Amino acid sequence: MWTSLWSQAIPYAWYLHTESNAHTSSRTFNRWMSPSLSAYGILQCLNRFLQTQNNVIPMLISSGFTACLHIFVCWVLVFKSGLESKGAALAITVSNWVNVFLLGIYINFSQSCIKTWTGFSAEAFHDVIGFVKLALSSAIMICLEYWSFEMVVLLSGLLPNPKLETSVLSISLNTCWMVYMISVGLGGAISTRVSNELGAGNSQGAKIALRVMITIAITQGLTVGITTILVRKVWGKLYSNEEEVIKYVAKMMPLLALSDFLDGFQCVLSGAARGCGWQNLCAYINLGAYYVVGIPSAVLFAFFLHIGGMGLWVGIICGLSIQIIALVTVNACTNWDNEAKKAMHRAQKTRIPVE
């Protein structure tokens, strides 16, 4: 979680400073960051493997070491190597691969994984179709949400003074993703916990875990929201030296505080939904929340009511609100005893026979 935080926030901020302004095209940055995609995918698999066993301390140590190393790597590749934006992208790639290698070494040689990791075998393809269907639904569910945030930045280029609007929306999105890493951690934890409890037939344990995580999410959201508002006048200085950009970012920060709070809450609810295997349902919820409500609202506020970039972000907040209402309704109407029975049935169905 924290490695992703540093990976997204530090290099991008330094990248903008090295380019002298915040509205330089990110095409080069994205192209040089492409090798990081495979590392990030492998890293997520390793994380989930350890999370399902409640073996999170190695992940904490690995991420902590990588985060500390990442600061030095960024400094070298951005400033000392002369690569600037390319170096910022490479820093993300290096950090992700370092994390992958550290966790890979631990899983291969640790005694705690000796019974759960036995190497590669044909058993990995057991019920692969079922897993692919679940993975596709999960990917669509998450991508629909991610793409809506990216679309807001694209739409900002159609506003008057597009350079300023795109700069501020890019900074806002980067800030949002940085805070989102905390919410992703909470969502991953509740997803694993709920699936484990339901698979063990303990519906009461799943409900308690969800309630505890909701409390944590609300506390975290309030803390982050208040902090975001308090630093609103200085946050823009991390990304740009232009006074116009800094003042506009300060105006956006209260909206970011609200969206961060809502996003943390929905991450927990979405995580619980993934633990129950509701990926298909959540994909439809995200589609309706962001593309039927969120993006049209953003267009309405920004282009017809002439609120500009702030209007675009208000549209995202509308989408988040609808998503949360739908997820709360789904969770409130859930029969957890039935979900536990379904989970046990799925576990028995996919269990590999021991010879």
Side-chain angles (χ1 to χ4, degrees):
M1 178 180 74
W2 291 109
T3 302
S4 297
L5 186 154
W6 285 105
S7 296
Q8 297 300 322
I10 294 178
Y12 194 69
W14 285 354
Y15 154 57
L16 292 178
H17 266 299
T18 58
E19 295 290 348
S20 300
N21 54 60
H23 48 69
T24 301
S25 172
S26 59
R27 187 186 310 166
T28 302
F29 181 86
N30 291 333
R31 185 170 62 248
W32 279 72
M33 199 177 69
S34 57
S36 177
L37 297 178
S38 56
Y40 184 76
I42 296 172
L43 181 60
Q44 293 305 303
C45 295
L46 298 178
N47 285 340
R48 294 297 181 271
F49 174 76
L50 293 173
Q51 282 177 340
T52 53
Q53 303 170 66
N54 293 324
N55 192 5
V56 297
I57 299 300
M59 295 165 51
L60 175 64
I61 296 174
S62 174
S63 295
F65 173 80
T66 306
C68 294
L69 179 65
H70 188 68
I71 300 175
F72 175 74
V73 173
C74 280
W75 177 70
V76 171
L77 292 179
V78 173
F79 294 109
K80 295 299 179 181
S81 68
L83 291 173
E84 298 184 342
S85 62
K86 298 175 183 177
L90 286 176
I92 297 175
T93 300
V94 170
S95 294
N96 279 338
W97 278 112
V98 167
N99 210 354
V100 166
F101 284 127
L102 289 176
L103 289 181
I105 291 171
Y106 173 80
I107 290 172
N108 272 286
F109 298 102
S110 172
Q111 290 296 314
S112 62
C113 298
I114 195 169
K115 293 183 178 180
T116 53
W117 173 252
T118 56
F120 295 98
S121 70
E123 291 178 348
F125 298 98
H126 178 75
D127 196 29
V128 67
I129 301 300
F131 281 106
V132 168
K133 291 180 179 178
L134 194 63
L136 286 176
S137 299
S138 184
I140 292 172
M141 165 188 168
I142 295 173
C143 286
L144 286 174
E145 180 182 351
Y146 278 35
W147 291 340
S148 65
F149 281 79
E150 299 288 350
M151 192 174 296
V152 163
V153 179
L154 294 176
L155 288 172
S156 67
L158 302 176
L159 292 169
N161 197 355
K163 290 183 177 180
L164 175 63
E165 298 286 2
T166 304
S167 299
V168 173
L169 265 296
S170 297
I171 293 171
S172 300
L173 183 62
N174 182 253
T175 304
C176 181
W177 287 150
M178 184 182 70
V179 175
Y180 184 68
M181 293 301 106
I182 304 174
S183 303
V184 165
L186 298 178
I190 188 60
S191 174
T192 301
R193 191 70 175 181
V194 166
S195 61
N196 284 351
E197 296 290 355
L198 292 179
N202 185 9
S203 59
Q204 190 64 26
K207 287 191 289 185
I208 292 174
L210 179 57
R211 291 168 185 167
V212 170
M213 194 58 72
I214 287 175
T215 303
I216 295 174
I218 292 174
T219 304
Q220 173 263 330
L222 289 174
T223 302
V224 169
I226 293 171
T227 303
T228 300
I229 293 174
L230 291 177
V231 302
R232 67 187 184 279
K233 293 183 179 180
V234 298
W235 190 254
K237 296 179 181 179
L238 297 176
Y239 294 87
S240 176
N241 294 321
E242 297 182 12
E243 192 64 27
E244 189 179 20
V245 173
I246 295 171
K247 290 181 178 179
Y248 199 165
V249 170
K251 291 173 61 179
M252 284 288 297
M253 292 300 273
L255 291 178
L256 288 182
L258 177 57
S259 65
D260 288 338
F261 176 80
L262 295 175
D263 214 14
F265 194 54
Q266 74 82 16
C267 270
V268 168
L269 296 175
S270 295
R274 290 196 303 272
C276 294
W278 299 339
Q279 280 84 342
N280 286 334
L281 175 61
C282 288
Y284 287 115
I285 290 175
N286 288 1
L287 179 63
Y290 291 104
Y291 295 90
V292 176
V293 177
I295 298 301
S297 297
V299 173
L300 174 65
F301 287 121
F303 297 98
F304 292 93
L305 299 182
H306 306 291
I307 305 178
M310 296 181 68
L312 291 175
W313 208 264
V314 170
I316 286 295
I317 292 175
C318 291
L320 279 169
S321 301
I322 296 299
Q323 183 187 22
I324 288 174
I325 291 172
L327 290 172
V328 167
T329 302
V330 169
N331 279 278
C333 298
T334 297
N335 186 323
W336 291 96
D337 292 331
N338 286 343
E339 293 300 323
K341 293 177 182 178
K342 292 177 183 178
M344 293 179 66
H345 176 71
R346 285 196 296 266
Q348 293 172 356
K349 184 179 178 181
T350 58
R351 186 172 295 140
I352 299 174
V354 179
E355 296 181 358

